[in-house]
Amino acid sequence: MIPTSNKRPRRVGTTARHARPAPAGRAPMRKGAVRLERRAHAPIAKGVLRVVPLGGVEEVGKNCMFLEYNDDIIVIDMGLQFPEENTPGIDYIIPNVSYLKSKKKNIRGVIITHGHYDHIGAIPYLSAELGAPTIYAMPLTRAIILKRQGDFTHLPRIETQEIQSDSRLKLGVFDVEFFHVNHNIFDTVGVAVHTPLGIVCHTADFKFDNNPVGDVPADYAKMEKLAQEGVLLLMSDSTGAERPGHSISEKDIEQNLEEIFQSSKGRIICATFASLISRLQQMIHLAEKYGRKVAIDGYSMKSNVSLSQEMGYLKIPKGMMIDIKDVHNYPDDKILFLCTGAQGEGGAVLMRVATREHRHVRLHAGDTVIFSSSVIPGNERTVQKLKDIIYREGAEVYHYQMMDIHAGGHAQQEDLKLMINLMRPKFFMPVHGSYFMLKLHTKLAKELGFKDSQIVIPENGRVVELTKDTIKLSKEEVIANPIFVDGLGVGDIKEVVLRDRQMMAADGMFVVIAIVDEKTGKVRGSPDIISRGFIYLKESKDLLYETRGRTKRIVEDITSKMHPLNVQYLKEELREKIGQFLYQRTERRPMVIPVVIEV
Ligand SMILES: [Zn+2]
């Protein structure tokens, strides 16, 4: 959640204040956050384990948390969040690590559970700030991190160390081991941290799949071993907590995909997540079986494919791959085209194909388009629009709601219960998900007999305190308001800027320019007005006429009483009063920008 940004300012007075240059760059944030920022950290209680999520709870994305015991800290995941509609012009949102920065000498390591961007994406922005602590990751995860780091050549090097699922790390007071789980990216591991108080387990994003493709089932034996040693706290992925039952196995999905291969007479075009290598592998298997050549397009998919192929995670028989520009040299029923864009993203391959903007591929009757992915919440409308366009072009469409051609990467209710039953923890804390998902997950725990005193629903920035016998959400909060990344700028977009963008996006902007005679205080000529995205000027002559008159009166009213003139004050008055006037007339709140020129 982005505090306050989903609420549009309702008072014109508020508008005026937001448009003013931010005093010392400080923006209104979550209640109390500004105060906390100035406060030095009080010494922490000895012998208490502190678990603090900096992101990833109360939301889906930017997963990041740390464990702190006396003078030792370990961080788990450092992800980003993709922006939503209410953050115009923002590329990414990353966790705020101010607290960790102030204690960077205590950081013993960063553990990354898997290679999804909501778990690794903030590394390039944050690693140096934290003194480049060693980042521990499985081979594929590490390769993805390093590849991405290659896009940030201006940043200092990061320290990484490869782990295996049977690695054991001594990180300060913490002794860390891992357990393999299934997820929709290979090399995902859960983390078991042996602390002086007991074992703390973090499931990572996970699901159970007893028939995975190109992978092995989750390591039940290791989980059982941990349970026998005694798990103090289980932190478990809540993303799938709304969905009943078990998730479908990748094997079942393969059967359904095969039916499509059997019935399709033309080209098969399949869009999926670029990182979903196991799905690409399934499609490539089927292409081989049904004698189709494979073409791939989309920057992220191509780079993931070559990376996974190099590392042996993806196997493509010799001679099967063809260049995208050669698809026309083969009959339609000999082509499988894999691409990005299943979320309806504007610039991605599938959208370009559908809108006839792709250089080599256009849709025609007989084509079959498979959306082999779920729709990320918020993308429903764009995906629907894309499907409409594809149908209009005469192609057939399959998506996961019509057939089981995609399994999500997250455990559903029955599997979440299975995880709790396997681990048998003393305390339970749901992570990864909106408040609703976390809450539902705790209900599952209660069905299994957990009491309220054994459960904590975490909040970003709130310190969870653990002893051997208790868990509680303490009153202490560390700074966790999100940082906005805009192009190459990190954190220079304050919420003030964001609110200005929201205001402009919603109601446009309105610039009033008054030239004031320094000697007489009179407005020279008629004030100029420039407006964008607010009203159509040509059809609003009366309103403009009145605004000019009003501007003149406001200015001269002030200049007649004030010597010398405080231009800043005059601008505030103009912004406030013209804003009010425009709202009375139009019920809209454009961003009012007064410009006063003294001559
Ligand atoms: Zn994930």
Side-chain angles (χ1 to χ4, degrees), residues 43-55:
I44 60 170
K46 291 278 171 207
V48 171
L49 178 68
R50 293 151 58 84
V51 179
V52 188
L54 294 174

Side-chain angles (χ1 to χ4, degrees), residues 114 116 119 183 205:
H114 65 287
H116 280 150
H119 296 258
H183 186 38
D205 279 353

